[in-house]
């Protein structure tokens, strides 16, 4: 395997950590070192590891069979549960990853509108699909001085793909209005994560989200909410908190109970593009493991365990941890902040106001400090994302969150002392 793993996101120098098992909010590596897991498979494991209800649900299905070339009742049950939490959606279809769900959402928007162009946010991550990767890692060398430039992420991306993606800065309604005024008749939809991790994990302003929805609908386009990460923030995800009504919603991660999963949900008239009506569907959609019954059963258990009370509890822990880390930056005399909302947090070594991807783009010193912070927490027995991302789980207690804060505080003091 190139670089020793098949996931770029888990790489570390001089080698990635290899884990052997996990229980609750802790994991053990192959050298039997124990860590508090504050990344939880990049937000997917909202109940931590080996949750008894999820294990029981998966094992019960495994005894009946792991996959079939036919539909099962389990997908109906999970579909009903998820649609019950999403007032904006009437229908849903399952995939095996958030990447696939985004891909199908974009295809659905294009089929429903008869248009080709997609608008996305500069720096936002929506999976490993050519169109959704555009301008994922823009730099000062290529992001331009005016309208955000569309740049390919992977080498070899066809120029035609990049041409059909328009990039705008986050939380900037004026920039969006300018794009819609110039090219609105060509735009199938706007792909938006209301709190995009790779673009800084900065929450969208409510007026921005509402203005975006109104403006996109005014030109006949569709609004696609990527809630693969943010669905954990409330019983109806971020759209419930922001009181927004997207046309299409993309889900993943927590809805699979620890198994690979994705879903695309939306209004009936939009989702109709997946249906056969006397012939081939406008957007055919298959997949050997779509709605895999093991995933569906574990997903049902995961969603049932994620009650409103549990969401509120881990959101409070996240708010307290975020405030504590901000105070730790100040006490250490380091420029920095911790942003996000609820159980999702991300650190930035900057003293500038954080509003979008460019405002949190790190200089050389900030990159070095973030690398040292990540390693410092690992050495203190806490796993977080290399970019400073943390995602709490229902398996964590206040004491566990305080232990993470202690590790963060000690690491920031160490960085301050070393310069």
């Amino acid at each position: 395997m190139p670089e020793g793993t098949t996931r770029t996101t888990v790489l570390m120098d001089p080698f990635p950590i290899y884990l052997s098992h996990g229980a609750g909010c802790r994991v053990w590596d192959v050298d039997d070192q124990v860590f508090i897991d504050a990344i939880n498979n990049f937000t997917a494991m909202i109940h931590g590891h080996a949750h008894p209800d999820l294990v029981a649900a998966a094992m019960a299905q495994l005894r009946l069979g792991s996959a079939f070339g036919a539909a099962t009742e389990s997908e109906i049950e999970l579909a009903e549960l998820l649609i019950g939490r999403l007032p904006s959606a009437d229908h849903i279809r399952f995939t095996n990853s958030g990447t696939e769900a985004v891909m199908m959402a974009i295809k659905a928007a294009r089929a429903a509108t008869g248009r080709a162009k997609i608008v996305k946010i500069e720096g936002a991550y929506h999976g490993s699909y050519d169109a959704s990767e555009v301008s994922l890692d823009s730099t000062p060398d290529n992001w331009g001085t005016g309208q955000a430039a569309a740049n390919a992420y992977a080498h070899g991306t066809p120029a035609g793909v990049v041409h059909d993606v328009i990039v705008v800065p986050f939380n900037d309604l004026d920039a969006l209005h300018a794009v819609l005024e110039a090219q609105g008749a060509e735009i199938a939809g706007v792909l938006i994560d209301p709190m995009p991790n790779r673009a800084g994990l900065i929450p969208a302003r409510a007026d921005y989200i509402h203005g975006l929805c109104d403006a996109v609908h005014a030109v006949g386009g569709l609004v696609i909410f990527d809630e693969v990460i943010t669905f954990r923030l409330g019983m109806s995800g971020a759209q419930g908190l922001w009181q927004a009504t997207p046309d299409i919603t993309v889900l993943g991660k927590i809805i699979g109970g620890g198994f690979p999963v994705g879903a695309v949900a939306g209004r009936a008239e939009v989702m109709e593009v997946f249906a056969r009506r006397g012939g081939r569907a406008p957007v055919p959609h298959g997949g050997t493991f779509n709605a895999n019954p093991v995933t569906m059963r574990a997903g049902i258990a995961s969603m049932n365990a994620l009650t409103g009370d549990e969401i509120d509890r881990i959101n409070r822990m996240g708010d307290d941890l975020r405030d504590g880390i901000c105070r730790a930056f100040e006490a250490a005399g380091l420029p920095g902040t911790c942003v996000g909302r609820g159980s999702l947090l991300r650190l930035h070594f900057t003293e500038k106001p954080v509003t979008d991807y460019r405002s949190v783009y790190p200089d050389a010193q900030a990159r070095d400090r973030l690398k040292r912070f990540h390693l410092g927490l690992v050495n203190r027995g806490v796993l977080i994302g290399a970019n400073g991302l943390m995602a709490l789980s229902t398996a964590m207690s206040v004491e566990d969150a305080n232990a993470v804060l202690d590790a963060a505080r000690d690491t920031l003091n160490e960085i301050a002392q070393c310069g």
Side-chain angles (χ1 to χ4, degrees), residues 73-419:
E73 290 184 4
S74 61
E75 65 191 274
I76 298 173
E77 294 177 31
L78 183 55
E80 289 178 336
L81 196 161
L82 294 172
I83 292 299
R85 292 193 179 201
L86 285 173
S88 68
D90 303 306
H91 294 162
I92 190 168
R93 292 180 73 94
F94 293 104
T95 66
N96 293 291
S97 67
T99 291
E100 292 177 46
V102 168
M103 177 177 70
M104 298 313 299
I106 290 174
K107 293 174 77 170
R110 286 171 167 163
T113 62
R115 302 171 179 181
K117 292 186 181 294
I118 296 292
V119 179
K120 67 155 293 191
I121 301 301
E122 184 175 45
Y125 177 74
H126 300 283
S128 302
Y129 179 45
D130 282 348
S132 62
E133 285 184 327
V134 170
S135 294
L136 171 58
D137 68 341
S138 295
T139 70
D141 293 331
N142 65 16
W143 65 31
T145 56
Q147 176 182 315
N151 303 300
Y153 178 64
H155 288 267
T157 301
V161 170
V162 179
H163 177 266
D164 283 333
V165 180
I166 304 166
V167 181
V168 294
F170 189 54
N171 269 333
D172 188 336
L173 263 181
D174 290 339
L176 177 65
H177 283 150
V179 165
L180 295 177
E181 183 177 349
Q183 303 182 67
E186 304 172 72
I187 292 170
V190 174
L191 177 61
I192 176 78
D193 180 334
M195 195 167 73
N197 166 38
R198 295 280 282 274
L201 203 74
I202 303 156
R205 298 192 320 271
D207 67 296
Y208 172 71
I209 289 294
H210 296 155
L212 179 149
C213 291
D214 291 343
V216 174
H217 289 152
V219 299
L222 302 180
V223 176
I224 306 169
F225 256 41
D226 181 346
E227 293 234 40
V228 169
I229 289 179
T230 58
F231 193 51
R232 62 163 47 221
L233 293 180
M235 287 295 285
S236 296
Q239 59 194 261
L241 299 178
W242 271 265
Q243 296 185 322
T245 307
D247 303 287
I248 302 174
T249 298
V250 177
L251 302 173
K253 295 190 185 292
I254 67 169
I255 70 167
F259 291 87
V261 74
V264 54
R267 293 189 290 109
E269 55 267 39
V270 175
M271 296 296 288
E272 191 72 10
V273 299
F274 295 112
R276 296 178 302 156
R277 291 294 180 263
R280 184 172 67 86
V283 181
H285 175 218
T288 302
F289 290 98
N290 285 0
N292 173 270
V294 178
T295 299
M296 298 294 99
R297 290 299 176 195
I300 293 166
S302 177
M303 290 294 96
N304 284 334
L306 191 62
T307 63
D309 287 345
E310 280 296 88
I311 291 173
D312 290 344
R313 184 178 68 84
I314 62 173
N315 281 348
R316 286 194 300 271
M317 279 199 304
D319 292 341
D320 290 343
L321 179 55
R322 187 163 35 253
D323 291 344
I325 291 174
C326 286
R327 290 195 299 271
F329 267 115
E330 185 176 354
L334 287 172
T337 188
C338 187
V339 300
R341 182 166 179 166
S343 61
L344 297 169
L345 310 85
R346 185 171 166 187
L347 288 89
H348 298 287
F349 284 87
T350 180
E351 56 190 356
K352 298 182 296 184
V354 294
T355 57
D356 58 14
Y357 173 73
R358 296 189 187 190
S359 69
V360 296
Y361 189 84
D363 59 19
Q365 183 182 62
R367 283 194 296 272
D368 175 68
R369 286 176 170 173
L370 182 57
K371 185 175 181 179
R372 288 157 61 192
F373 182 82
H374 177 237
L375 184 59
L377 260 68
V378 170
N379 287 337
R380 289 170 172 82
V382 177
L383 290 187
I384 69 167
N387 66 351
L389 176 68
M390 299 185 200
L392 308 187
S393 72
T394 63
M396 296 180 75
S397 65
V398 171
E399 290 73 23
D400 297 318
N402 287 339
V404 174
L405 176 57
D406 288 342
R409 184 184 295 114
D410 291 347
T411 302
L412 289 173
N413 288 334
E414 180 181 77
I415 293 171
Q417 292 168 9
C418 296

